[in-house]
């Protein structure tokens, strides 16, 4: 996939390494814990290990089966991450003298229910880029300001596609009946990669269209996008980079229902205020579809997939997301650019980094 970038500055030659000093992730819970109940909640910090590896070790220490732990999401292996996990409080005595070089229990509390997958608001990130010169630091600062104001394209990160980046090809082959996969988890993983690939392809197309409308005159943009001249004239009046189209599937943000955009002028103020966003399609049947001009573009990307629709349950994913509490600091003596930002669940910090440095990781 030829990913389109939203920011316009030239590529930045900075060094990014996912280690415990330069990449730190802190989970933001969806709700406060009650402080009482039969479930012990651990606030844990881990370094350079997967969530699964951490749970396996805690299982060996406590005797609690891995499947009986509760967690809201899986965290990166590389870097330092903090998250909340739960287990029955009967296992608490086994943790009295717990020590591990890569795992630290920061705090404990109790809750009435087991933590469930998806029960998180998002994640707070600290990221350090190295070997950054003053000119590039200015680009990074300006880029962060634009992202803070307008949002960012919510691509699936490279992690979704495997080491070789070809998991989506396997997923498509499975759906076409050209590949067998006995492991149900791997089968689902490959198919999800194909859904993610199509989503990213569609989002890149929409960014390309927005770029053409933003930078070309009406006549050239009309020819390049194949949209009606009157629509291009209207789209050019939208003040933000990412243009909303008639028929887009919009979604209340950060939570709520999806609906088809019938009147762009009425919905645009809510998009600018981050009250709604556009939702891209994750391939599958029985799901709300884009209509009108937006539907034409969506169909062009997903047309090859019509035979697969009945095999999958489709859904909608935020295509344009919003970072919060965005901060950037340049330390010229060390040539470091350090940033903090919070992202909603499902968004990738690496996508922000790629957007800022204009280079795929």
């Amino acid at each position: 996939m030829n990913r389109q970038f939203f920011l316009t500055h030239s590529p930045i030659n900075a060094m990014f390494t996912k280690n415990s000093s330069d990449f730190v992730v802190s989970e933001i819970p969806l709700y406060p814990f009650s402080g009482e109940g039969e479930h012990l909640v651990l606030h844990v910090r881990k370094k350079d290990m997967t969530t699964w590896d951490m749970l396996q070790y805690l299982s060996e220490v406590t005797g609690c089966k891995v499947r009986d732990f509760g967690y809201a999401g899986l965290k990166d292996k590389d870097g330092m991450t903090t998250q909340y996990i739960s287990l029955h409080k009967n296992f608490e005595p086994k943790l009295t003298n717990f020590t591990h070089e890569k795992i630290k229990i920061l705090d404990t509390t109790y809750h009435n229910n087991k933590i469930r997958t998806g029960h998180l608001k998002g994640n707070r990130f600290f990221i350090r880029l190295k070997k950054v010169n003053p000119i590039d630091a200015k680009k990074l600062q300006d880029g962060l300001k634009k992202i803070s104001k307008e949002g960012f394209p919510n691509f699936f990160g490279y992690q979704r596609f495997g080491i070789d980046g070809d998991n989506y090809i396997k997923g498509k082959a499975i759906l076409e009946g050209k590949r067998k996969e006995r492991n149900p988890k791997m089968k689902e993983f490959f198919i999800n990669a194909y859904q993610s690939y199509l989503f990213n392809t569609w989002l890149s197309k929409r960014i390309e269209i927005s770029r053409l409308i933003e930078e070309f005159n009406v006549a050239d943009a009309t020819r390049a996008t194949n949209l009606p001249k009157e629509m291009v004239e209207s789209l050019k009046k939208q003040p933000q980079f990412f243009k909303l189209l008639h028929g887009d599937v919009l979604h209340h943000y950060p939570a709520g229902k999806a609906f088809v955009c019938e009147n762009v002028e009425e919905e645009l103020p809510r998009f600018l205020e981050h009250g709604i966003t556009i939702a891209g399609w994750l391939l599958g049947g029985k799901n709300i579809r884009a209509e009108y001009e937006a539907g034409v573009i969506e169909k062009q990307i997903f047309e090859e997939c019509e035979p697969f629709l009945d095999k999958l349950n489709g859904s909608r994913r935020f295509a344009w997301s919003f970072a919060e509490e965005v901060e950037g600091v340049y330390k010229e003596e060390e040539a470091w650019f350090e940033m903090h930002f919070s992202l909603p669940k499902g968004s990738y910090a690496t996508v922000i980094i790629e957007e800022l440095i204009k280079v795929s990781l």
Side-chain angles (χ1 to χ4, degrees), residues 279-349:
W281 192 28
L282 292 179
L283 176 67
K286 298 179 181 179
N287 192 249
I288 187 171
R289 300 283 293 271
E291 299 179 12
Y292 315 120
E293 290 82 7
V296 171
I297 295 170
E298 183 174 277
K299 186 176 181 180
Q300 289 172 349
I301 301 298
F302 291 92
E303 193 168 15
E304 67 177 59
C305 313
E306 291 294 331
F308 312 147
L309 294 187
D310 293 338
K311 299 180 181 180
L312 300 167
N313 292 320
S315 63
R316 286 278 164 176
R317 167 185 168 86
F318 293 156
W320 200 258
S321 196
F322 305 104
E324 297 181 353
E325 301 177 278
V326 179
E327 304 168 7
V329 176
Y330 181 49
K331 297 184 176 180
E332 188 170 357
E333 289 187 6
E334 292 90 352
W336 293 349
F337 190 90
E338 298 179 345
M339 64 189 93
H340 293 84
F341 50 80
S342 298
L343 300 181
K345 65 179 181 180
S347 293
Y348 292 77

Side-chain angles (χ1 to χ4, degrees), residues 5-17:
F5 290 101
F6 147 58
L7 299 176
T8 57
H9 59 247
S10 57
I12 291 173
N13 185 25
M15 186 177 78
F16 168 63
T17 306

Side-chain angles (χ1 to χ4, degrees), residues 136-173:
D136 285 342
K138 179 66 166 56
K139 295 179 188 175
L140 291 168
Q141 198 69 268
D142 291 344
L144 277 178
K145 288 179 181 178
K146 190 170 181 65
I147 287 172
S148 180
K149 179 182 178 182
E150 292 198 25
F152 64 95
N154 195 30
F155 285 107
F156 283 98
Y158 64 85
Q159 305 92 322
R160 192 78 167 185
F161 303 103
I163 296 175
D164 297 323
D166 62 351
N167 284 345
Y168 74 93
I169 298 175
K170 299 173 184 177
K172 182 180 180 182

Side-chain angles (χ1 to χ4, degrees), residues 63-78:
C64 178
K65 295 180 180 178
V66 171
R67 67 171 180 265
D68 292 330
F69 280 91
Y71 59 90
L74 302 176
K75 294 293 179 284
D76 296 81
K77 174 184 178 181
D78 301 317

Side-chain angles (χ1 to χ4, degrees), residues 223-277:
R223 285 191 292 270
T225 62
N226 203 31
L227 293 173
K229 179 182 177 182
E230 296 77 12
M231 174 172 280
V232 171
E233 289 175 337
S234 177
L235 290 171
K236 285 188 75 67
K237 295 177 183 178
Q238 293 186 20
Q240 82 290 353
F241 169 81
F242 192 83
K243 310 302 182 186
L244 297 188
L245 298 180
H246 183 215
D248 268 329
V249 175
L250 302 179
H251 201 291
H252 291 88
Y253 187 92
K257 294 183 178 180
F259 60 97
V260 173
C261 179
E262 298 287 351
N263 189 314
V264 174
E265 289 186 1
E266 288 184 4
E267 304 298 349
L268 184 58
R270 290 201 292 168
F271 179 65
L272 297 176
E273 294 169 3
H274 305 178
I276 60 173
T277 189

